[in-house]
Amino acid sequence: MIYAAVMGYGTVGAGVVQVLTMNRDEVKRHTGEEIAVKYVLDLRDFPGSPVEKILTHNYEDILNDPEVRIVVETMGGLRPAYDFTKRALMAGKHVCTSNKELVAEHGVELCRIAAEHQVNYLFEASCGGGIPIIRALNASLTADRIEMVEGILNGTTNYILTSMAEEGKEFDDALREAQKMGYAELHPEADIEGWDACRKIAILSSLAYGQHISYKDVHTVGITEIDAADMTYAKAAGCKIKLIGRSCREEKGVSILVEPMMIGPENQLYSVDGVMNAVFVRGNALGDAMLYGSGAGSLPTASAVCGDVADCAKHLNKTIRTGLTEENASVLPAGNVPGRFFVRMDGDAGKAAVLAGAGGVMRLPEFPEEFAFFSEQMTEEELRTRCAAFGNVRKIIRRG
Ligand code: NDP
Ligand code: HSE
C-alpha cells in the first residue's frame, strides 16, 4: 500500500479522491500497488462526505507522517502552496500538482529540489486539464526537435467564446456558467485576461524547447475586449475567435504570445469548442500532431493528476526528468511577430483597401458606421501606423 495526501479538497482535489477510489483497481494494475488517500487537507469541514474521517486542517500531520509518500497539491495560488510543496519535497515526499501558477513561477526550483531529494515534482494537470501533453513532451517526443507549439489552453475562455458565438450569450453570463461548472480560476481575471493561458504556453514552450521561458516575457492579450460585433464579423467571414497561445522556435530565439485570434476552418483548432482544449505541436521528425481533450473540470483534471500519482508510485526511488531547466531562452519582442490581422475601423475605406488582402473591405449592414478587412502580412506595429493615416481603428484581432 502506498499512502497519499491531498491538499485542497475543491474541484480538482475532490476529483482526485474520487478517481483514486473509483479506479483503484486500474491504478493498481499499472503500478502494482494499491494507492490510498490517508489525509485530505482543507480549510473547511466536509461533514457527511467520504473524506470526513481523513480530513485535517494541519499541514504538519501530512509532513510528519513517514507513511505518506505522495502529496497532491490542488489548493492553487502561490502561498502557502509553495512552502507546503517545498517542505514536502525536502522531506522526501513526491508532489503532484495542478497548480500552473506555482509551476510557472517556481517550477524550475521545485524540480531541482525534487531531484536533490530523489523524488518527483510532476505537473501534468497544469496545462490543458486532462490532456496528457506534458508527458508527451517529456517522454514520447524527446527524440524530436519541436519547432512550434500552439493551442487553446484555457477552458473557461473557450467556453465563453463558444457560448457567445453559437448561442449569442452575453460575456458575463457565459463566465458565470463556466464558474458554476468549476472551470474558472478562483479569480477569473486569470482566465479572461489570458494570464492562465500565458502560464501554460510558457510551461509547454519551456519543455518543448529545453530552455526556461518566463511567463512574464509572454505578450498576453485576454478576451475582455471581444464583443458581439466581433462575433458577427467572424461568422460573416467563416471564422471563429479563439484565445490561442503560440510559440515558435526562430533563428534568434523563441517568439511567444497569447492573443484572441480569428481562425478559419483550415486551422486545426477551429473545431475545438466549449471547454475543450487542444495542443498542436510540430516536430522536425514527427511533423504535426495534436492532442485534444477536456481543458478543465473536476474528473478530467483529476485524471491527469492521478496519472502523475501513479507515475510517482512507479518511481518511488527515482526522479523522472521533467525537462524544466534553469537556462533561459531568448524571447523575441512580440511587436516583431508578423501576421495577418482582422481590422475594424471607421474612416476612408477606399484608402484602407490598400492594406486589405484579396478579400478587400467588408461592410455589414448591422454596422453602417464602420468597415473591416483582413490585412496583408505585417507586424501589428506597422499595421497601426498605416491605419492611422486612413481613420480610427476600433479593433485589431490577429488572424490565426
Ligand atoms: P478550488 O478553489 O475549487 O479548490 C481549492 C481548495 O483548496 C478549496 O477547497 C480551498 O478551500 C482549499 N484551500 C485553499 N487554501 C488552502 C490552505 N491554505 N490550506 C488548505 N486548503 C486550502 O480550486 P480548483 O480545484 O478549481 O483548482 C485548484 C488548482 O488546480 C488551481 O491551481 C487551479 O488553477 C488548478 N486547476 C484547476 C482546474 C479546474 O478545472 N478547476 C483544471 C486544472 C488546474 P476554501 O474553498 O475554503 O478556500
Ligand atoms: N481555469 C482553467 C481553465 C482551469 O479554464 O482552463 C484549467 O487549467
Side-chain angles (χ1 to χ4, degrees):
M1 178 79 78
I2 297 172
Y3 286 104
V6 175
M7 305 193 296
Y9 192 65
T11 304
V12 182
V16 168
V17 174
Q18 189 182 339
V19 170
L20 286 177
T21 311
M22 175 174 84
N23 294 345
R24 178 175 290 136
D25 296 343
E26 282 303 309
V27 174
K28 187 173 175 192
R29 185 166 68 80
H30 286 284
T31 60
E33 292 268 6
E34 198 161 307
I35 298 177
V37 179
K38 189 167 179 184
Y39 301 95
V40 164
L41 175 80
D42 204 280
L43 300 170
R44 288 172 291 163
D45 290 313
F46 300 94
S49 89
V51 299
E52 191 178 8
K53 291 203 172 75
I54 55 170
L55 191 72
T56 175
H57 300 305
N58 185 2
Y59 169 70
E60 308 298 324
D61 289 346
I62 294 170
L63 188 71
N64 295 328
D65 186 335
E67 274 194 340
V68 174
R69 303 291 304 274
I70 304 169
V71 176
V72 170
E73 187 272 294
T74 47
M75 295 186 297
L78 293 181
R79 304 276 165 171
Y82 170 72
D83 308 279
F84 287 5
T85 299
K86 196 166 164 177
R87 291 176 70 200
L89 293 170
M90 291 171 91
K93 298 180 194 297
H94 302 263
V95 178
C96 306
T97 190
S98 57
N99 185 343
K100 54 266 162 151
E101 190 179 353
L102 186 60
V103 175
E105 187 73 47
H106 295 296
V108 172
E109 182 199 359
L110 293 170
C111 283
R112 180 175 46 73
I113 294 172
E116 285 165 5
H117 293 82
Q118 288 87 50
V119 288
N120 289 291
Y121 181 57
L122 300 184
F123 45 90
E124 180 63 70
S126 67
C127 296
I131 303 175
I133 179 63
I134 290 185
R135 198 157 277 106
L137 288 171
N138 278 341
S140 317
L141 299 176
T142 43
D144 258 76
R145 182 182 155 91
I146 305 295
E147 306 290 355
M148 177 184 173
V149 181
E150 181 177 57
I152 294 177
L153 297 169
N154 182 271
T156 300
T157 46
N158 207 37
Y159 181 87
I160 294 171
L161 293 171
T162 305
S163 305
M164 286 171 76
E166 290 186 0
E167 296 160 52
K169 284 223 169 96
E170 295 289 332
F171 187 105
D172 289 343
D173 293 340
L175 172 59
R176 259 193 298 277
E177 280 179 17
Q179 287 177 294
K180 218 154 97 192
M181 285 184 284
Y183 303 154
E185 297 300 305
L186 183 60
H187 306 291
E189 297 79 18
D191 297 294
I192 62 179
E193 298 290 357
W195 307 330
D196 179 73
C198 155
R199 291 175 183 126
K200 289 167 175 168
I201 193 70
I203 296 168
L204 292 177
S205 304
S206 299
L207 297 173
Y209 309 128
Q211 289 181 319
H212 177 63
I213 295 170
S214 168
Y215 69 93
K216 292 172 190 154
D217 292 334
V218 179
H219 168 77
T220 301
V221 181
I223 64 161
T224 51
E225 299 297 318
I226 301 296
D227 59 24
D230 300 325
M231 290 294 175
T232 306
Y233 276 110
K235 205 168 193 175
C239 291
K240 290 182 182 174
I241 301 173
K242 301 283 181 192
L243 183 67
I244 291 180
R246 178 194 289 165
S247 70
C248 294
R249 197 197 280 270
E250 315 274 358
E251 207 180 312
K252 292 195 173 141
V254 174
S255 66
I256 182 163
L257 51 77
V258 171
E259 281 182 25
M261 296 190 196
M262 225 186 247
I263 60 172
E266 75 288 349
N267 188 311
Q268 294 86 341
L269 300 173
Y270 180 83
S271 308
V272 179
D273 286 330
V275 73
M276 304 310 273
N277 281 191
V279 187
F280 172 86
V281 290
R282 177 168 296 154
N284 69 342
L286 167 78
D288 294 349
M290 192 164 95
L291 282 89
Y292 168 89
S294 288
S298 182
L299 291 185
T301 309
S303 162
V305 177
C306 295
D308 281 349
V309 170
D311 226 0
C312 288
K314 288 197 276 186
H315 299 93
L316 276 181
N317 301 305
K318 185 170 181 248
T319 306
I320 305 161
R321 280 178 69 93
T322 62
L324 285 188
T325 63
E326 319 234 348
E327 186 192 336
N328 288 320
S330 161
V331 176
L332 303 173
N336 293 348
V337 181
R340 295 184 61 212
F341 296 88
F342 167 75
V343 184
R344 273 173 62 197
M345 60 185 293
D346 50 64
D348 191 332
K351 286 188 179 157
V354 298
L355 294 178
V361 169
M362 288 164 76
R363 279 190 185 279
L364 296 186
E366 297 94 316
F367 313 111
E369 283 165 8
E370 60 178 73
F371 57 91
F373 60 90
F374 287 100
S375 77
E376 296 283 20
Q377 181 95 353
M378 61 188 81
T379 65
E380 187 175 339
E381 232 168 74
E382 184 188 352
L383 177 68
R384 284 192 183 277
T385 312
R386 293 182 65 183
C387 284
F390 308 125
N392 169 48
V393 171
R394 294 182 175 209
K395 188 70 64 74
I396 291 186
I397 301 173
R398 190 177 286 272
R399 176 76 164 89

